[in-house]
Amino acid sequence: MPATKQSGSETRSDAIRFVLDGEVQTLRGVDPNTTVLNYLRETLRRTGTKEGCAEGDCGACTVVLGELDGDRVRFRAINSCIQFVPTLDGKELYTVESLRAPDGALHPVQRAMVECHGSQCGFCTPGFVMSLFALYKSEPVPTRSRINDVLAGNLCRCTGYRPIIDAAEKMYHSDSESEGGWTHRPYEASSEASSGESESVERLRGIQRHGTLAITGPDLQGGQRVYYAPKSLSDLAELVNQHPEARILAGGTDIGLWVTKHHMDLDAIIYLGDVEELQVLEANETHIEVGAAVTVTAAHHLIAEYYPDMGEMYRRFASPPIRNAATIGGNVANGSPIGDSMPGLIALGSSLILRKGADTRELPLDEFYLAYQQTALEPGEFVERVRIPVEPTDRIFKMYKISKRFDQDISAVCGAFGFRLNDGKMKDVRICYGGMAAIPKRAAECEKTLEDSSWSEVTVARGMEALDRDYEPIDDMRASAGYRSLVTRNLLRKLFLETSGRAGRTRVLRQDPETG
Amino acid sequence: MTETTSDPTTHGVLRGGSVGTPVPHESAHLHVSGEARYTDDIPEPVGTLHAAIGMSERAHARIKSIDLGPVWNTPGVVDVMTVDDLPGANDIGGPVGDDPIFADGLVQYVGQSIFAVAATSVELARRAARKAVIEYEELEPILDIDTALEKKSFVIPTEKMSRGDAPKAIDAAAHRLQGRFRFGGQDQFYLEGHIAFALPKEDGDMLVYSSSQHPGEVQFVVAHALGKTAKDVVVECRRMGGGFGGKETQPALFASIAALLASRTGRAVKIRPDRDTDMVMTGKRHGYRVDYDVGFDEQGQINGVEFEFASNCGMSADLSGPVNDRTMFHADNAYYLDNVSIISHRCKTHTVSNTAFRGFGGPQGMMAIEWVMDEIARYLKVDPLDVRTTNFYGIGERDVTPYHMKVEDNVLMDIVPELEKTSRYRKRRREIAGYNESSEWLKRGIALTPVKFGISFTATHYNQAGALLHIYSDGTLQLNHGGTEMGQGLFTKVAQVVAEELQIDISRIRCTPSDTARVPNASATAASSGSDLNGMAAQAAARTIKGRLTEFAAQHYEVPADEVVFANDAVRAGDQQVPFAELTHLAYMARVSLSSTGFYKTPKIHYDRATFSGRPFYYFAYGAAVSEVEIDVLTGEYRVLRVDILHDVGKSLNPAIDLGQIEGGFIQGMGWLTTEELWWNAKGELQTHAPSTYKIPVVSDMPEVFNVNLLRSGRNNEPTIHRSKAVGEPPLMLAISVLHALKDAVAGIGGHQLSPHLGAPATPEAVLMAIGDLNQRLESEKEPAGVA
């Protein structure tokens, strides 16, 4: 879309518009805290989409969004349980009810699930179908490991998954008699959109706006709530200044839970997902720039090109529907001590570009976190970009995410390490662990111990002792303090093994270049 | 004569469908299109209210006062009730009467129901339920098994089963080992949480839609709570989004509260606890502590063994009696124990009352004996499989269980050697030993474990079932029985049985919701018994009507009855053939009854609980699994690399559904023993109450190589429905092989000599701690040859 310089307030839109089953829906007077799932189930009575957890961890609520991407539509699965209705503005929404062909025939994804016995109790099934539908529309026939990644956000308690994997393979080889209807077309690599997709593109173009979406809707006590979705950075900055009490919303994968789990009232929301300047994602000689509205999915591959271990971490970060909504900027700004972005970004020496009105400042990420869930953001200030250094080729970077379950699990410990070897001596050592303190915290003692030391077993032993001084972890449901400390030390050994050219295999997960 | 005008084959999915064919699940086309209706999807009448429960914030306390003012003042609130407002019994139906609907002055776990609120929306009800101001007088809570044992805190008395003289045999044995180990519980984590929807009818009657494995029990509990009788309440359940035992007794609480509020307000009331509330409020698999003392000979054959089980039952008895009994019944698993003593303590703690979960105590019993087998093997430094094989039940000898039942159908001698061969177990064990010698930081392990699981409810009277079959004059059928559909494919299998009996296309049959008005006094769909019981009952109903149709056809076509043959969706009478629908129409015109009930009770079973002897099980289901894993010595992380399963389902009613039960059960069992960790804090608050913190297996946890086969020669010795075998629970226990493979991998650090102390769940943390412990023991033993 060409950038426009119109003032957001002059061209404000007061209705949410999105496409459902080929029809433009225009909504006014919706509580902006309404989740897409509740809207579907309670207002539209489209009950095919299920609630399994209301926190984006089970996938029963998975729906697919279609978004304009040049002349094509880009499909992505998201968790409808924690996505607010106003964020649908300008998009197409597909639910499990959208898939049957006009003649009533099951979609190839659905038919493959039936033929492979992919459903037992059936409650998770609509979510699986929608994750598979997004895959079907976005990628050619996938490998088994790719299927694992695509379905990492969908829990099934009945099948043990084998028949669902079979269905993911079979859906591309449909021998249906009824191929009528656009929904049946799988992903095509060609740059040309099919006629059905072109219709979607036209419909989506018709509901794009240039100014701010500004809506009001009722809260639960007879009052009003406001929601703004500006299109430009200047409008965003102005709104944040005008409404310092407003909650800034990006992917909503944490904030959604404040509503569904903690029953909080978000009376003023400013959504930055539509701000074009915040979609910047580029790498130059010195930096990778990631705008605050860039999703993890979008940033994943670029970051992985430079830092494979960071890519591997993002492959396992939450799940595809979460990564399709969540932003790296949001992960960073949220400042959780167990957020997986921060250890790596800090070990890489990343910084944040913060904006307040027309003013910006750059702050090293490790100076951003002051205390538990307290950041250096000033009132009216927000994260505009994450700036990741492109490091010289002689610099070594490794990271490890340790959790109970490999996929879609919050880390017990996440360790990241960056350094250079100069004549066998360690230089510019930066080490950061998540899950070990109230903030993502650098291992200052360990860094000091390692700096200028030769990279040897002796140094590893000294570094491990130093790590004990760096952190005082806690016991919780994810791990005991004892395990956290032990793993924290052992990761330093693993780093040594992997960077000193001695060990054979050191990881049980296969390093898969295709997904890394 | 024309073919029926209405085409019953409208699904477009189900064709044929005789017994033994892999018919898709009868609801598959509805599951994949979002059209399958679960309780929360039923359209709500105007004015429907939504309920939420006010829960205890203390593990053990007296309630000093409750201020419900702030609850009432929440917008949208229509009604609030406590124990003082109950018109009937304050009891959700446990055998001891220790499970109240609402706490009556005393709370005994965090999450216990204290009051309920009905409001105009789900969100308003949930907000209101958090607003009560409750003052507590704190009492000392008991939060773990050890403390409960120390304080002799039990929900029901300790039981003992024994045969021979275990202490004497152990003393006399060449070798003796003693030890203790623990394993945790497990949340059922059905994807559809608990839900009940109550609609008041005329004259005080109540219709309740309940996501329940036991609508019949819900009917009684609701009736008693309302101060009414069974005739006044109808409970219906078309399907559950998973049950796994978690919806056997637990739905009664929610159904009662919905019905009570509906009765008070005269409006429809739905209650749907969110995932966190569901996990905090409802019972799970029992965690255990096990002590053992075993004596054995040079070959590893057990001379005598003593087990002392102590399970965490939580705050009330619920099903803990039969669950713990089943542990005792499965402490032998596949092994002949000549001299044996089994003690079972049922500990009371101030945590949620534990309940049924697939396997129902059986997995815990098997864990004990499999643990002992592994310990013996490591001690004797032989392959654990050899110790297991040495101790297997014999055929015609060494074949009587500790509860004096003869094992008559042992097929482990067919299963285990075949699996050993097809999985290349011996070769892989050697390869693994080689791998572990050269790989310092990653170690592999392998284990083969068997399963022998007793089929029947140990409560003998539960082993009965009813069915109700209607044939309409257009040749279509409605099939109903007392079983419930939770995803296991019961409705499909029973429909196949009826289709087979009448030789008709399965698409003629509509499976109707489980409904207390259609089949009375139905047992819970549990104990893997669903198709055994309901399949036979439905077959009986079909045979009754088939008999009438046969008699009618014989008369009508003037042929002997034995010349009336049902085949290919039609009926042949002598040399005439009519479509099935035509015969039913003619029969209707001739005033033949086309509706029948059917009934079945399991034969042969009897059991004296006082002496723990008899034949509690009609037969046994068998299987075995080989699992191979790889662990990371520095982090404790691991992968399950390969699993081979050979399982006996008798003559399969539906091989696709049976395969699904085996694979799904295995993965669920693997979750129990690996990543699924229930974690309470020091205040007795469950901290793992949602999928963000409670980690069930995901798709990538499925083994990279997963070879699952049905025993081809499988056939039930007993005349069960088409000689099939129950399949719901037994495969879960195949996953015990994963835990033992992990133990084997940890043992790989010391050249597979010492036995690791690795209980369950074997999280990466537990694995790393077991590695640390093993390394210490290796150092103290100073056996240089064993150190990698």
Side-chain angles (χ1 to χ4, degrees), chain A residues 400-422:
Chain A
Y400 310 95
K401 172 176 165 62
I402 309 298
S403 48
K404 268 184 209 164
R405 189 174 72 191
F406 281 111
D407 281 344
Q408 204 211 4
D409 195 1
I410 290 167
S411 301
V413 173
C414 182
F417 309 83
F419 65 97
R420 214 156 39 81
L421 280 177
N422 193 347

Side-chain angles (χ1 to χ4, degrees), chain A residues 41 50 52 55 100 110 119 121-122 157-158 161-162 261 263 404-405 407 480 483 490 494 510, chain B residues 31-32 35 38 41 123 187-188 275-276 632 634-635 663-664 676-677 692 696-697 700 704 765:
Chain A
R41 292 187 59 85
K50 308 300 182 194
E55 61 178 13
R100 277 192 195 255
Q110 295 171 313
S119 71
C121 86
R157 191 56 152 168
C158 295
Y161 301 103
R162 191 270 312 157
K261 296 267 155 160
H263 305 283
K404 268 184 209 164
R405 189 174 72 191
D407 281 344
S480 68
Y483 177 67
N490 283 357
K494 191 181 278 280
R510 250 192 236 124
Chain B
H31 294 153
V32 299
E35 292 158 22
Y38 300 81
D41 305 333
E123 179 67 19
D187 191 272
Q188 290 84 2
R275 175 62 60 184
D276 305 76
D632 180 328
L634 289 173
T635 61
E663 292 171 339
E676 293 183 37
E677 184 172 28
S692 51
I696 73 169
S700 64
E704 282 170 48
E765 168 164 353

Side-chain angles (χ1 to χ4, degrees), chain A residues 242-433:
Chain A
Q242 281 167 1
H243 303 277
E245 80 291 356
R247 175 54 52 184
I248 297 178
L249 177 74
T253 54
D254 191 50
I255 289 174
L257 275 64
W258 302 0
V259 170
T260 63
K261 296 267 155 160
H262 305 301
H263 305 283
M264 281 171 60
D265 292 294
L266 303 179
D267 290 331
I269 293 173
I270 300 172
Y271 176 62
L272 52 70
D274 294 338
V275 175
E276 279 163 32
E277 293 96 322
L278 298 186
Q279 298 289 352
V280 63
L281 174 66
E282 61 191 26
N284 57 34
E285 297 285 290
T286 57
H287 290 96
I288 304 168
E289 301 272 345
V290 183
V294 174
T295 64
V296 174
T297 299
H300 175 185
H301 288 284
L302 183 65
I303 294 174
E305 275 177 38
Y306 289 83
Y307 303 111
D309 267 13
M310 196 79 169
E312 171 64 4
M313 181 278 291
Y314 278 129
R315 182 186 70 77
R316 290 172 49 202
F317 181 101
S319 67
I322 293 291
R323 295 196 296 270
N324 285 340
T327 61
I328 291 178
N331 197 220
V332 164
N334 191 22
S336 164
I338 48 176
D340 276 335
S341 292
M342 287 77 95
L345 292 176
I346 288 173
L348 289 167
S350 306
S351 58
L352 300 179
I353 308 298
L354 307 177
R355 174 175 291 269
K356 184 176 182 178
D359 302 327
T360 60
R361 61 172 172 143
E362 182 167 355
L363 185 71
L365 183 56
D366 56 354
E367 292 172 27
F368 184 67
Y369 303 107
L370 307 177
Y372 179 66
Q373 294 197 331
Q374 239 187 297
T375 68
L377 277 179
E378 289 170 13
E381 195 176 40
F382 59 90
V383 174
E384 180 183 319
R385 257 176 298 160
V386 180
R387 180 171 283 173
I388 308 168
V390 169
E391 303 209 317
T393 48
D394 64 342
R395 199 168 159 83
I396 293 165
F397 175 79
K398 292 275 178 193
M399 75 176 290
Y400 310 95
K401 172 176 165 62
I402 309 298
S403 48
K404 268 184 209 164
R405 189 174 72 191
F406 281 111
D407 281 344
Q408 204 211 4
D409 195 1
I410 290 167
S411 301
V413 173
C414 182
F417 309 83
F419 65 97
R420 214 156 39 81
L421 280 177
N422 193 347
D423 286 336
K425 299 262 196 257
M426 302 182 80
K427 298 286 181 191
D428 306 325
V429 180
R430 290 178 73 94
I431 299 174
C432 184
Y433 280 89

